[in-house]
Amino acid sequence: SYALTQPLSVSVALGQTARITCGGNNIGSKSVHWYQQRPGQAPVLVIFRDNNRPSGIPERFSGSKSGNTATLTISRAQAGDEADYYCQVWDSSTSVAFGGGTKLTVL
Amino acid sequence: QVQLQESGPGLVKPSETLSLTCTVSGVSINHNYWSWIRQSPGKGLEWIGYIYYSGSTNYNPSLRSRVTISVDTSNNQFSLKLNSVTAADTAVYYCARHSGEVAVAHHYFDYWGQGTLVTVSS
């Protein structure tokens, strides 16, 4: 099965930049998508196809890829950005793969 | 607007079959892919499987032997059956719509239901 590796937690000071990574073999050749999940709520898409924002998602959210790592960047972090974040790709072995999730804490 | 709503029993006994339905409103279920995704308490997201409106399916290899997903286009619904459940199947179950890219390999989930908690317990 295809594994996506995310850090369990990331902390960021209010107003600073948070970066959440997602590592996977040959991830550079795959479309990476990111979801935000606040406690008790369903996931919400924040980035699709590596670096595209759905309508309604602030410009502070951006995505990138380099080598075997994709990164979700949240600029000018706000208290409301505290949530779990998941990356997702499609892989021929498992079809859909999710990362284990990263808990973002805004200090 | 597109809305998805899961429904079904919140409590299932061990060894029995978990059955859930996702009712889609605001868009036709036709010409799209639809998935079931679950999340065990305090854990991450696990994809269960998807169905195309035509009825073709694809399942997570780890659950394939116990899962059946079906579609009812006349009622704009799709359903999940998971048999021989154990406590490990206790989770919030979500239904979700796939994005409309031509290539499945680029699909993401653009609309989600609110989720429904299913507990497996005697």
Side-chain angles (χ1 to χ4, degrees):
Chain A
S1 63
Y2 186 81
L4 288 170
T5 302
Q6 297 183 236
L8 281 177
S9 63
V10 167
S11 297
V12 61
L14 186 69
Q16 297 304 302
T17 298
R19 293 178 179 85
I20 298 172
T21 58
C22 174
N25 185 39
N26 203 28
I27 200 171
S29 67
K30 303 180 188 301
S31 281
V32 182
H33 320 294
W34 291 91
Y35 302 89
Q36 175 193 68
Q37 186 180 34
R38 295 190 173 103
Q41 296 186 19
V44 171
L45 180 72
V46 293
I47 292 289
F48 65 95
R49 278 192 270 115
D50 301 339
N51 54 16
N52 295 276
R53 278 178 294 102
S55 60
I57 300 301
E59 292 182 8
R60 300 184 298 103
F61 287 80
S62 62
S64 61
K65 278 192 313 190
S66 179
N68 281 332
T69 301
T71 302
L72 172 69
T73 301
I74 306 171
S75 304
R76 303 181 300 284
Q78 302 177 0
D81 298 333
E82 277 207 347
D84 294 327
Y85 290 86
Y86 295 90
C87 56
Q88 177 246 312
V89 302
W90 284 77
D91 179 75
S92 58
S93 63
T94 55
S95 291
V96 178
F98 286 103
T102 298
K103 180 178 180 59
L104 177 68
T105 300
V106 180
L107 305 172
Chain B
Q1 72 280 25
V2 179
Q3 290 187 316
L4 291 82
Q5 179 68 57
E6 305 90 350
S7 59
L11 181 64
V12 181
K13 291 181 168 53
S15 79
E16 297 190 345
T17 296
L18 179 159
S19 296
L20 295 174
T21 295
C22 181
T23 300
V24 179
S25 59
V27 70
S28 171
I29 205 166
N30 291 332
H31 307 293
N32 219 324
Y33 289 79
W34 306 88
S35 268
W36 287 98
I37 297 158
R38 72 180 182 179
Q39 186 171 36
S40 299
K43 303 295 185 183
L45 301 170
E46 180 181 30
W47 175 73
I48 299 170
Y50 73 64
I51 190 163
Y52 190 45
Y53 81 101
S54 63
S56 63
T57 55
N58 192 7
Y59 301 133
N60 186 324
S62 68
L63 297 169
R64 182 172 292 143
S65 63
R66 299 194 292 130
V67 174
T68 302
I69 299 176
S70 58
V71 65
D72 178 356
T73 55
S74 60
N75 287 309
N76 231 37
Q77 297 175 329
F78 63 105
S79 297
L80 169 70
K81 289 189 185 302
L82 180 66
N83 58 36
S84 305
V85 297
T86 70
D89 295 308
T90 294
V92 174
Y93 286 76
Y94 296 99
C95 55
R97 189 185 83 161
H98 292 218
S99 59
E101 275 74 359
V102 172
V104 171
H106 292 294
H107 282 190
Y108 48 90
F109 304 108
D110 56 1
Y111 288 94
W112 297 64
Q114 66 186 25
T116 187
L117 174 63
V118 179
T119 301
V120 178
S121 175
S122 55

PDB file of all heavy atoms in Angstrom, chain A residues 4-10 19-23 34 69-70 85 87 100-104:
ATOM      1  N   LEU A   4       1.667   7.821   2.929  1.00  0.00           N
ATOM      2  CA  LEU A   4       1.916   9.254   2.988  1.00  0.00           C
ATOM      3  C   LEU A   4       2.262   9.611   4.431  1.00  0.00           C
ATOM      4  O   LEU A   4       1.522   9.270   5.350  1.00  0.00           O
ATOM      5  CB  LEU A   4       0.676  10.036   2.548  1.00  0.00           C
ATOM      6  CG  LEU A   4       0.329   9.994   1.060  1.00  0.00           C
ATOM      7  CD1 LEU A   4      -1.038  10.607   0.813  1.00  0.00           C
ATOM      8  CD2 LEU A   4       1.400  10.689   0.236  1.00  0.00           C
ATOM      9  N   THR A   5       3.381  10.294   4.618  1.00  0.00           N
ATOM     10  CA  THR A   5       3.867  10.579   5.957  1.00  0.00           C
ATOM     11  C   THR A   5       3.719  12.058   6.291  1.00  0.00           C
ATOM     12  O   THR A   5       4.247  12.914   5.583  1.00  0.00           O
ATOM     13  CB  THR A   5       5.342  10.177   6.082  1.00  0.00           C
ATOM     14  OG1 THR A   5       5.475   8.787   5.775  1.00  0.00           O
ATOM     15  CG2 THR A   5       5.841  10.417   7.510  1.00  0.00           C
ATOM     16  N   GLN A   6       2.998  12.340   7.364  1.00  0.00           N
ATOM     17  CA  GLN A   6       2.833  13.698   7.862  1.00  0.00           C
ATOM     18  C   GLN A   6       3.321  13.769   9.302  1.00  0.00           C
ATOM     19  O   GLN A   6       3.188  12.802  10.053  1.00  0.00           O
ATOM     20  CB  GLN A   6       1.353  14.127   7.838  1.00  0.00           C
ATOM     21  CG  GLN A   6       0.706  14.188   6.483  1.00  0.00           C
ATOM     22  CD  GLN A   6      -0.727  14.690   6.594  1.00  0.00           C
ATOM     23  OE1 GLN A   6      -1.662  14.029   6.150  1.00  0.00           O
ATOM     24  NE2 GLN A   6      -0.907  15.885   7.155  1.00  0.00           N
ATOM     25  N   PRO A   7       3.826  14.942   9.727  1.00  0.00           N
ATOM     26  CA  PRO A   7       4.159  15.099  11.137  1.00  0.00           C
ATOM     27  C   PRO A   7       2.878  15.077  11.960  1.00  0.00           C
ATOM     28  O   PRO A   7       1.830  15.531  11.508  1.00  0.00           O
ATOM     29  CB  PRO A   7       4.826  16.481  11.192  1.00  0.00           C
ATOM     30  CG  PRO A   7       4.314  17.201   9.992  1.00  0.00           C
ATOM     31  CD  PRO A   7       4.094  16.161   8.937  1.00  0.00           C
ATOM     32  N   LEU A   8       2.970  14.512  13.164  1.00  0.00           N
ATOM     33  CA  LEU A   8       1.779  14.437  14.015  1.00  0.00           C
ATOM     34  C   LEU A   8       1.272  15.814  14.394  1.00  0.00           C
ATOM     35  O   LEU A   8       0.061  16.036  14.461  1.00  0.00           O
ATOM     36  CB  LEU A   8       2.105  13.635  15.281  1.00  0.00           C
ATOM     37  CG  LEU A   8       2.131  12.125  15.153  1.00  0.00           C
ATOM     38  CD1 LEU A   8       2.535  11.496  16.473  1.00  0.00           C
ATOM     39  CD2 LEU A   8       0.782  11.588  14.697  1.00  0.00           C
ATOM     40  N   SER A   9       2.188  16.744  14.630  1.00  0.00           N
ATOM     41  CA  SER A   9       1.778  18.066  15.064  1.00  0.00           C
ATOM     42  C   SER A   9       2.732  19.136  14.564  1.00  0.00           C
ATOM     43  O   SER A   9       3.917  18.862  14.335  1.00  0.00           O
ATOM     44  CB  SER A   9       1.686  18.116  16.587  1.00  0.00           C
ATOM     45  OG  SER A   9       2.961  17.886  17.160  1.00  0.00           O
ATOM     46  N   VAL A  10       2.168  20.302  14.366  1.00  0.00           N
ATOM     47  CA  VAL A  10       2.937  21.500  13.992  1.00  0.00           C
ATOM     48  C   VAL A  10       2.393  22.660  14.813  1.00  0.00           C
ATOM     49  O   VAL A  10       1.162  22.798  14.951  1.00  0.00           O
ATOM     50  CB  VAL A  10       2.801  21.805  12.484  1.00  0.00           C
ATOM     51  CG1 VAL A  10       3.327  23.191  12.154  1.00  0.00           C
ATOM     52  CG2 VAL A  10       3.523  20.747  11.657  1.00  0.00           C
ATOM     53  N   ARG A  19       4.007  25.492   8.074  1.00  0.00           N
ATOM     54  CA  ARG A  19       4.249  24.585   6.942  1.00  0.00           C
ATOM     55  C   ARG A  19       4.022  23.156   7.391  1.00  0.00           C
ATOM     56  O   ARG A  19       4.630  22.696   8.355  1.00  0.00           O
ATOM     57  CB  ARG A  19       5.665  24.772   6.392  1.00  0.00           C
ATOM     58  CG  ARG A  19       5.882  26.130   5.740  1.00  0.00           C
ATOM     59  CD  ARG A  19       7.306  26.328   5.243  1.00  0.00           C
ATOM     60  NE  ARG A  19       7.459  27.649   4.605  1.00  0.00           N
ATOM     61  CZ  ARG A  19       7.722  28.759   5.265  1.00  0.00           C
ATOM     62  NH1 ARG A  19       7.874  28.722   6.585  1.00  0.00           N
ATOM     63  NH2 ARG A  19       7.853  29.907   4.611  1.00  0.00           N
ATOM     64  N   ILE A  20       3.145  22.467   6.686  1.00  0.00           N
ATOM     65  CA  ILE A  20       2.816  21.070   6.983  1.00  0.00           C
ATOM     66  C   ILE A  20       3.260  20.232   5.803  1.00  0.00           C
ATOM     67  O   ILE A  20       2.858  20.481   4.669  1.00  0.00           O
ATOM     68  CB  ILE A  20       1.304  20.915   7.231  1.00  0.00           C
ATOM     69  CG1 ILE A  20       0.877  21.748   8.447  1.00  0.00           C
ATOM     70  CG2 ILE A  20       0.951  19.443   7.437  1.00  0.00           C
ATOM     71  CD1 ILE A  20      -0.623  21.808   8.648  1.00  0.00           C
ATOM     72  N   THR A  21       4.080  19.238   6.067  1.00  0.00           N
ATOM     73  CA  THR A  21       4.635  18.429   4.997  1.00  0.00           C
ATOM     74  C   THR A  21       3.906  17.095   4.839  1.00  0.00           C
ATOM     75  O   THR A  21       3.269  16.605   5.778  1.00  0.00           O
ATOM     76  CB  THR A  21       6.124  18.156   5.234  1.00  0.00           C
ATOM     77  OG1 THR A  21       6.271  17.489   6.496  1.00  0.00           O
ATOM     78  CG2 THR A  21       6.922  19.448   5.232  1.00  0.00           C
ATOM     79  N   CYS A  22       4.049  16.548   3.651  1.00  0.00           N
ATOM     80  CA  CYS A  22       3.433  15.269   3.294  1.00  0.00           C
ATOM     81  C   CYS A  22       4.422  14.546   2.394  1.00  0.00           C
ATOM     82  O   CYS A  22       4.671  14.998   1.269  1.00  0.00           O
ATOM     83  CB  CYS A  22       2.115  15.528   2.586  1.00  0.00           C
ATOM     84  SG  CYS A  22       1.279  14.073   1.920  1.00  0.00           S
ATOM     85  N   GLY A  23       4.999  13.475   2.901  1.00  0.00           N
ATOM     86  CA  GLY A  23       6.013  12.757   2.152  1.00  0.00           C
ATOM     87  C   GLY A  23       5.500  11.451   1.586  1.00  0.00           C
ATOM     88  O   GLY A  23       4.746  10.743   2.244  1.00  0.00           O
ATOM     89  N   TRP A  34      -5.288  18.708  -0.233  1.00  0.00           N
ATOM     90  CA  TRP A  34      -5.220  18.949   1.210  1.00  0.00           C
ATOM     91  C   TRP A  34      -6.607  19.280   1.756  1.00  0.00           C
ATOM     92  O   TRP A  34      -7.379  20.011   1.143  1.00  0.00           O
ATOM     93  CB  TRP A  34      -4.289  20.119   1.500  1.00  0.00           C
ATOM     94  CG  TRP A  34      -2.840  19.862   1.224  1.00  0.00           C
ATOM     95  CD1 TRP A  34      -2.166  20.089   0.058  1.00  0.00           C
ATOM     96  CD2 TRP A  34      -1.879  19.348   2.145  1.00  0.00           C
ATOM     97  NE1 TRP A  34      -0.842  19.731   0.198  1.00  0.00           N
ATOM     98  CE2 TRP A  34      -0.640  19.281   1.474  1.00  0.00           C
ATOM     99  CE3 TRP A  34      -1.927  18.947   3.489  1.00  0.00           C
ATOM    100  CZ2 TRP A  34       0.534  18.827   2.090  1.00  0.00           C
ATOM    101  CZ3 TRP A  34      -0.768  18.494   4.094  1.00  0.00           C
ATOM    102  CH2 TRP A  34       0.449  18.445   3.399  1.00  0.00           C
ATOM    103  N   THR A  69       8.271  15.398  -1.401  1.00  0.00           N
ATOM    104  CA  THR A  69       7.501  16.050  -0.348  1.00  0.00           C
ATOM    105  C   THR A  69       6.583  17.127  -0.920  1.00  0.00           C
ATOM    106  O   THR A  69       7.009  17.928  -1.744  1.00  0.00           O
ATOM    107  CB  THR A  69       8.446  16.700   0.685  1.00  0.00           C
ATOM    108  OG1 THR A  69       9.297  15.690   1.241  1.00  0.00           O
ATOM    109  CG2 THR A  69       7.651  17.342   1.812  1.00  0.00           C
ATOM    110  N   ALA A  70       5.332  17.092  -0.450  1.00  0.00           N
ATOM    111  CA  ALA A  70       4.388  18.166  -0.733  1.00  0.00           C
ATOM    112  C   ALA A  70       4.228  18.977   0.550  1.00  0.00           C
ATOM    113  O   ALA A  70       4.347  18.445   1.659  1.00  0.00           O
ATOM    114  CB  ALA A  70       3.039  17.607  -1.168  1.00  0.00           C
ATOM    115  N   TYR A  85      -5.020  18.609   9.524  1.00  0.00           N
ATOM    116  CA  TYR A  85      -4.847  18.747   8.077  1.00  0.00           C
ATOM    117  C   TYR A  85      -4.378  17.411   7.499  1.00  0.00           C
ATOM    118  O   TYR A  85      -3.484  16.759   8.048  1.00  0.00           O
ATOM    119  CB  TYR A  85      -3.833  19.853   7.759  1.00  0.00           C
ATOM    120  CG  TYR A  85      -4.362  21.229   8.085  1.00  0.00           C
ATOM    121  CD1 TYR A  85      -4.245  21.747   9.374  1.00  0.00           C
ATOM    122  CD2 TYR A  85      -5.010  21.997   7.122  1.00  0.00           C
ATOM    123  CE1 TYR A  85      -4.757  22.996   9.691  1.00  0.00           C
ATOM    124  CE2 TYR A  85      -5.517  23.254   7.423  1.00  0.00           C
ATOM    125  CZ  TYR A  85      -5.387  23.745   8.711  1.00  0.00           C
ATOM    126  OH  TYR A  85      -5.901  24.994   9.015  1.00  0.00           O
ATOM    127  N   CYS A  87      -3.288  15.275   3.845  1.00  0.00           N
ATOM    128  CA  CYS A  87      -2.992  15.252   2.426  1.00  0.00           C
ATOM    129  C   CYS A  87      -3.606  13.984   1.818  1.00  0.00           C
ATOM    130  O   CYS A  87      -3.893  13.013   2.534  1.00  0.00           O
ATOM    131  CB  CYS A  87      -1.490  15.298   2.159  1.00  0.00           C
ATOM    132  SG  CYS A  87      -0.502  14.009   2.957  1.00  0.00           S
ATOM    133  N   GLY A 100      -1.560  10.572   7.490  1.00  0.00           N
ATOM    134  CA  GLY A 100      -2.057  10.305   8.828  1.00  0.00           C
ATOM    135  C   GLY A 100      -2.637  11.511   9.543  1.00  0.00           C
ATOM    136  O   GLY A 100      -3.285  11.368  10.580  1.00  0.00           O
ATOM    137  N   GLY A 101      -2.424  12.694   8.965  1.00  0.00           N
ATOM    138  CA  GLY A 101      -2.985  13.905   9.556  1.00  0.00           C
ATOM    139  C   GLY A 101      -2.002  14.636  10.438  1.00  0.00           C
ATOM    140  O   GLY A 101      -1.154  14.015  11.107  1.00  0.00           O
ATOM    141  N   THR A 102      -2.094  15.967  10.425  1.00  0.00           N
ATOM    142  CA  THR A 102      -1.248  16.822  11.240  1.00  0.00           C
ATOM    143  C   THR A 102      -2.124  17.779  12.025  1.00  0.00           C
ATOM    144  O   THR A 102      -2.978  18.464  11.451  1.00  0.00           O
ATOM    145  CB  THR A 102      -0.286  17.646  10.367  1.00  0.00           C
ATOM    146  OG1 THR A 102       0.572  16.771   9.653  1.00  0.00           O
ATOM    147  CG2 THR A 102       0.538  18.606  11.218  1.00  0.00           C
ATOM    148  N   LYS A 103      -1.903  17.824  13.329  1.00  0.00           N
ATOM    149  CA  LYS A 103      -2.657  18.755  14.172  1.00  0.00           C
ATOM    150  C   LYS A 103      -1.899  20.078  14.218  1.00  0.00           C
ATOM    151  O   LYS A 103      -0.749  20.137  14.676  1.00  0.00           O
ATOM    152  CB  LYS A 103      -2.817  18.197  15.578  1.00  0.00           C
ATOM    153  CG  LYS A 103      -3.603  19.123  16.509  1.00  0.00           C
ATOM    154  CD  LYS A 103      -3.785  18.496  17.876  1.00  0.00           C
ATOM    155  CE  LYS A 103      -4.571  19.407  18.811  1.00  0.00           C
ATOM    156  NZ  LYS A 103      -5.907  19.711  18.272  1.00  0.00           N
ATOM    157  N   LEU A 104      -2.549  21.125  13.733  1.00  0.00           N
ATOM    158  CA  LEU A 104      -1.947  22.450  13.757  1.00  0.00           C
ATOM    159  C   LEU A 104      -2.420  23.213  14.985  1.00  0.00           C
ATOM    160  O   LEU A 104      -3.622  23.369  15.202  1.00  0.00           O
ATOM    161  CB  LEU A 104      -2.319  23.239  12.498  1.00  0.00           C
ATOM    162  CG  LEU A 104      -1.787  24.675  12.466  1.00  0.00           C
ATOM    163  CD1 LEU A 104      -0.257  24.673  12.342  1.00  0.00           C
ATOM    164  CD2 LEU A 104      -2.421  25.476  11.336  1.00  0.00           C
TER     165      LEU A 104
END
